[in-house]
């Protein structure tokens, strides 16, 4: 029974959720922790598990705001799951990261993300910056649009389960993060995240109806992140995933920043032929400058998706859209990002 605050000293029950899938979205990895003050947490978890039998126990501890015990439970789950499978660890499907090396097993619902020792140009941030971005996401209201991560130090795996290709990639891209000891491969630092279908891969074999729905979701994800004072920085399709509920969630945090730190600008009009033909910007660009008109380029590789996106969300190409939102946030606007459909509410206010 989700409870809403009237803001006038009283509360009301906003809806009743009874479908396990609907309840699951409230306790999703893409939403904030509940920070429950529970004297016996396992009793809450046992109750919630009855409502959502398909959710893993560690996911429920995480949702309650007990990520340390969540990590312990995840480790037990992962060991058990790995022992019951013969599938190897492989590089995660999709476009390889310039900053992160991501691996998984084909039959596993999670990915492991290791910060590479050196980043592929043009990425030039530090390891600390990447960690700070991931930690910002943990503390922010994820609003249903950013995937939570669990951070591990010294996480051990069975070396024999790693594909040759993945092993070669680890030795090339992240040698300082791994230690081999007998059959053990220990990662000095690694994030765990829910596996989704990268949006660029999803678009390859979706039908027209799915295309329409997922592009609407993609635009809504960018808009809801923005209304929550988050600018994703790198909004390429490959940096968003599609969940099993068909929701689009962001997972690439190395360029993330508060929306209010950005300066949204229009592209200046060229004054002569030389400027018009220039391959590099002829005007000064500061690190915080963002040119929304250039967002069109994010889709240049997928014209089918671009067509639908332009129909639904072309307001994102307008600097004024972003500036207006910044103004609203500065004036204290906080969005209501409901984890259920508006039509499910008892009463619309
Ligand atoms: N949660 C996830 N589920 C499924 N695949 C994922 C997930 N996170 C990452 N990937 C895959 O790994 C790739 C690299 O991950 P990610 O985008 O986080 O790394 P990055 O180095 O920050 O990327 P970029 O080069 O865009 O900055 C993604 O393009 C995607 O194919
Ligand atoms: Mg990426």
């Amino acid at each position: 029974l989700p409870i809403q605050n009237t803001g006038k000293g009283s509360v009301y029950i906003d809806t009743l959720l009874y479908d396990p899938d609907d309840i699951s979205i409230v306790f999703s990895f893409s939403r904030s922790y509940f920070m429950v003050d529970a004297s016996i947490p396992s009793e809450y978890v046992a109750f919630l598990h009855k409502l959502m039998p398909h959710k893993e126990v560690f996911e429920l501890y995480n949702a309650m705001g007990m990520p340390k015990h969540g990590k312990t439970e995840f480790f037990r789950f992962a060991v058990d799951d790995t022992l019951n499978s013969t599938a190897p660890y492989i590089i995660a499907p999709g476009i390889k990261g310039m900053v992160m090396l991501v691996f998984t097993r084909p039959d596993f619902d999670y990915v492991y993300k290791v910060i590479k020792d050196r980043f592929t140009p043009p990425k030039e941030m530090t390891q600390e910056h990447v960690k700070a971005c991931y930690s910002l996401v943990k503390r922010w209201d994820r609003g249903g649009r950013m995937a939570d991560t669990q951070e591990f130090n010294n996480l051990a795996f069975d070396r024999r389960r790693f594909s040759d290709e993945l092993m070669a990639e680890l030795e090339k891209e992240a040698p300082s993060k791994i230690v081999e000891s007998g059959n053990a491969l220990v990662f000095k630092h690694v994030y765990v995240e829910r596996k989704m279908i990268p949006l660029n891969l999803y678009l390859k074999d979706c039908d027209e109806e799915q295309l329409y729905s997922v592009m609407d979701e993609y635009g809504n994800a960018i808009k809801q992140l923005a209304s929550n004072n988050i600018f994703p920085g790198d909004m390429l399709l490959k940096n968003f995933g599609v969940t099993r509920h068909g929701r689009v969630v962001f997972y690439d945090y190395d360029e993330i920043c508060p929306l209010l730190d950005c300066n949204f600008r229009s592209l200046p009009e060229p004054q002569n032929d030389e400027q018009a033909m220039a391959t590099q910007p002829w005007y000064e660009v500061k690190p915080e400058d963002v040119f929304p008109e250039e967002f069109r380029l994010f889709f240049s590789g997928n014209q089918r998706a671009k067509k639908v996106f332009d129909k639904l969300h072309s307001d994102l190409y307008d600097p004024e859209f972003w500036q207006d939102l910044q103004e609203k946030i500065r004036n204290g606007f906080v969005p209501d990002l409901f984890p259920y459909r508006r039509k499910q509410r008892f009463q619309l206010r």
Side-chain angles (χ1 to χ4, degrees):
L1 294 164
I3 297 172
Q4 287 283 324
N5 194 329
T6 58
K8 296 174 200 139
S10 58
V11 295
Y12 60 94
I13 290 172
D14 197 42
T15 186
L16 164 69
L17 302 174
Y18 47 85
D19 181 322
D21 275 347
D22 285 348
I23 304 170
S24 183
I25 291 174
V26 180
F27 292 86
S28 162
F29 64 88
S30 65
R31 296 210 163 250
S32 304
Y33 308 128
F34 275 97
M35 309 304 281
V36 183
D37 183 9
S39 49
I40 307 180
S42 61
E43 287 187 348
Y44 286 65
V45 167
F47 171 69
L48 290 170
H49 205 229
K50 273 192 211 153
L51 301 182
M52 297 167 277
H54 56 273
K55 262 215 195 299
E56 299 298 337
V57 164
F58 72 88
E59 294 177 304
L60 295 171
Y61 277 107
N62 288 341
M64 280 176 60
M66 295 170 175
K68 285 198 175 158
H69 192 64
K71 280 169 60 172
T72 306
E73 291 285 350
F74 171 79
F75 187 70
R76 289 177 188 158
F77 160 82
V79 169
D80 212 41
D81 194 85
T82 310
L83 291 175
N84 287 320
S85 147
T86 51
Y89 288 100
I90 54 163
I91 298 172
I95 299 173
K96 280 184 194 166
M98 292 186 267
V99 173
M100 308 297 275
L101 193 165
V102 185
F103 66 95
T104 185
R105 280 197 340 254
D107 60 352
F108 194 53
D109 286 337
Y110 302 84
V111 295
Y112 294 97
K113 304 178 100 160
V114 185
I115 304 177
K116 300 198 316 189
D117 285 358
R118 271 183 307 279
F119 304 150
T120 314
K123 299 267 183 178
E124 46 188 29
M125 64 277 283
T126 61
Q127 307 258 327
E128 283 64 40
H129 174 86
V130 176
K131 284 189 183 170
C133 291
Y134 274 72
S135 135
L136 177 147
V137 172
K138 280 197 93 58
R139 285 176 284 111
W140 217 270
D141 176 0
R142 291 188 293 283
R145 298 300 186 179
M146 292 194 282
D148 186 27
T149 48
Q150 268 65 55
E151 191 176 9
F152 284 87
N153 290 315
N154 299 320
L155 191 62
F157 291 79
D158 184 343
R159 160 75 178 83
R160 295 166 296 185
R161 299 288 294 274
F162 281 62
S163 72
D164 294 343
E165 194 195 3
L166 172 56
M167 221 39 237
E169 189 77 3
L170 284 166
E171 276 156 9
K172 179 166 153 251
E173 301 287 1
S176 84
K177 305 291 180 334
I178 50 173
V179 181
E180 285 190 57
S181 168
N183 285 333
L185 179 63
V186 180
F187 285 78
K188 289 194 198 159
H189 183 262
V190 64
Y191 294 106
V192 176
E193 194 175 279
R194 181 81 199 196
K195 182 155 82 183
M196 289 166 271
I197 305 174
L199 186 50
N200 58 317
L201 298 186
Y202 182 91
L203 289 170
K204 277 193 183 154
D205 30 47
C206 68
D207 61 29
E208 281 306 304
E209 200 183 322
Q210 289 169 319
L211 173 71
Y212 196 89
S213 157
V214 87
M215 290 325 279
D216 193 27
E217 269 286 303
Y218 175 44
N220 286 337
I222 295 171
K223 286 176 179 170
Q224 287 176 2
L225 287 168
S227 72
N228 225 1
N229 195 15
I230 283 285
F231 183 63
D234 195 344
M235 290 188 286
L236 292 169
L237 298 165
K238 63 173 179 166
N239 292 328
F240 289 80
V242 185
T243 69
R244 67 186 181 92
H245 299 288
R247 284 180 63 81
V248 170
V249 172
F250 186 57
Y251 56 59
D252 180 341
Y253 305 141
D254 57 76
E255 291 189 37
I256 209 163
C257 70
L259 191 80
L260 292 185
D261 290 357
C262 303
N263 181 25
F264 293 97
R265 294 176 55 191
S266 303
L267 288 167
E269 284 289 328
Q271 301 299 314
N272 54 44
D273 286 353
E274 202 184 321
Q275 290 181 349
M277 306 295 285
T279 50
Q280 295 294 323
W282 47 270
Y283 40 86
E284 192 195 352
V285 181
K286 299 212 176 92
E288 65 276 17
D289 286 345
V290 181
F291 298 93
E293 291 152 86
E294 290 183 334
F295 295 169
R296 287 186 176 86
L297 293 175
F298 287 149
F299 296 104
S300 47
N302 193 323
Q303 288 306 315
R304 180 171 166 245
K306 182 175 190 315
K307 240 189 192 162
V308 178
F309 188 83
D310 285 359
K311 230 186 256 168
L312 298 167
H313 293 294
S314 60
D315 45 351
L316 288 171
Y317 303 143
D318 182 359
E320 249 180 67
F321 169 88
W322 297 89
Q323 291 157 358
D324 289 350
L325 200 49
Q326 285 181 314
E327 192 54 30
K328 258 173 92 174
I329 295 172
R330 271 190 211 103
N331 291 331
F333 167 73
V334 178
D336 268 333
L337 301 171
F338 284 84
Y340 43 88
R341 298 210 174 272
R342 299 220 163 211
K343 65 171 190 242
Q344 284 172 280
R345 303 182 61 189
F346 287 147
Q347 179 183 5
L348 286 176
R349 286 163 191 266

